[in-house]
Amino acid sequence: MKLGFVGAGNMATALAVGIGEPVLVHDPDRARAQALAERVGGETCSSNRELAERADLVVLCCKPAQLQTVAGEIRGHVAAVASVLALTPLAALAAEFGDDVPLYRLMPNLPVAVGRGVIGYVPGPRAADGPEHELRALLGRAGEVVEVAERDLDAVMALASCGPAFVARFLAELAAAGARLGLDPELAGRLARLTAGGTLAYLDAERIEPAELERRVATPGGATERGLRELDELGFGRAVARALAAAEGKVATS
Ligand SMILES: NC(=O)c1ccc[n+]([C@@H]2O[C@H](COP(=O)([O-])OP(=O)(O)OC[C@H]3O[C@@H](n4cnc5c(N)ncnc54)[C@H](OP(=O)(O)O)[C@@H]3O)[C@@H](O)[C@H]2O)c1
């Protein structure tokens, strides 16, 4: 199956690299499109129209605000559409491309580039008429495909698609705090990354929940417990909840 990527930005690159197939790509920034095509052994197209005519499935990887423009270029020439556009429901896609075009909403995160992504997946009503099986198989190379009801996709986005940035922010703060304790900043950064990676590997190997890991580290009355109490008192849980609610576009309830 030939995939055609509209846009060659961050998510298009991560997804195409994770899938690891030669793809067609178009981006107004020709150098960006060329770089992605070269990376996966694919080909650039001179327009979205040409891309849509040649691809079995168009993967929309532009910004949501660019949907109308892109749809205007390819409407009537597109076999099936998978969209990674945040906060852009199937109804909006169907309004642009027509009810008869098989549609799929995808909500990936950047670790798809290394085969460790999460891809929220919502098939449209005509999904089975299109290349659904091939699409799911290709996405499976890039990470875990999690099918959800469309009403849950914004929450999946807030947690899993925005999540890598939240985790990255925590790592940066961990390193900065280590440096404030007097560690060399480069060493503090390395320790933060090693600790995060090791923690995830340990959770998986031991098959335990985060709360159990916390219990194993935080001996009563010890250093970790003192640190956790500070996080609680400063509202760490509330801050995380508000970050996700803001990302989802909702007003925080706590
Ligand atoms: N980044 C993430 O982690 C993430 C996660 C989940 C979902 N998403 C979704 O992925 C989409 C892309 O996000 P991104 O972070 O990859 O943004 P990005 O890096 O800005 O990539 C978007 C690309 O689309 C190009 N573009 C603009 N108009 C176009 C057109 N008419 N035809 C073809 N390409 C066009 C842009 O070019 P210009 O820069 O010249 O406009 C840019 O290269 C968004 O809809 C977002 O909601 C992103």
Side-chain angles (χ1 to χ4, degrees):
M1 176 169 71
K2 192 50 105 180
L3 300 179
F5 279 76
V6 170
N10 292 309
M11 185 41 74
T13 301
L15 203 50
V17 167
I19 288 171
E21 284 287 318
V23 297
L24 300 170
V25 56
H26 174 73
D27 192 295
D29 185 330
R30 293 167 66 98
R32 213 179 281 158
Q34 191 64 38
L36 175 53
E38 276 170 16
R39 201 155 162 196
V40 296
E43 235 183 294
T44 60
C45 293
S46 57
S47 67
N48 285 324
R49 171 84 174 265
E50 181 201 335
L51 177 133
E53 283 170 346
R54 292 176 58 191
D56 301 305
L57 176 71
V58 165
V59 187
L60 278 187
C61 290
C62 55
K63 290 279 169 59
Q66 293 148 352
L67 171 64
Q68 277 191 325
T69 309
V70 170
E73 291 163 358
I74 66 177
R75 189 180 300 118
H77 302 273
V78 61
V81 176
S83 162
V84 306
L85 274 52
L87 307 171
T88 306
L90 284 169
L93 298 171
E96 293 294 345
F97 297 106
D99 290 328
D100 52 336
V101 175
L103 300 171
Y104 313 89
R105 279 191 75 189
L106 312 178
M107 195 45 63
N109 62 9
L110 282 185
V112 290
V114 292
R116 298 279 307 274
V118 169
I119 303 142
Y121 176 78
V122 179
R126 302 289 305 270
D129 299 340
E132 186 174 25
H133 291 297
E134 295 102 308
L135 173 63
R136 289 193 66 140
L138 289 174
L139 293 174
R141 298 181 187 176
E144 191 159 328
V145 180
V146 182
E147 183 167 340
V148 294
E150 189 169 30
R151 65 175 174 279
D152 290 333
L153 199 65
D154 295 348
V156 171
M157 174 201 68
L159 194 161
S161 299
C162 305
F166 300 146
V167 172
R169 175 66 71 89
F170 181 71
L171 286 182
E173 292 294 351
L174 206 55
R180 277 197 288 276
L181 294 182
L183 292 175
D184 171 70
E186 193 272 332
L187 173 63
R190 198 149 50 89
L191 293 180
R193 291 172 81 111
L194 287 168
T195 302
T199 301
L200 292 180
Y202 181 83
L203 281 170
D204 286 348
E206 293 284 310
R207 296 168 190 266
I208 57 170
E209 294 300 317
E212 168 59 15
L213 187 148
E214 200 175 296
R215 200 186 58 72
R216 290 186 190 183
V217 181
T219 43
T224 310
E225 197 180 66
R226 286 200 299 278
L228 288 170
R229 198 177 309 123
E230 281 295 306
L231 285 179
D232 287 342
E233 284 175 6
L234 288 167
F236 182 65
R238 187 160 171 263
V240 173
R242 288 188 64 132
L244 260 66
E248 194 195 20
K250 291 193 177 146
V251 177
T253 51
S254 65

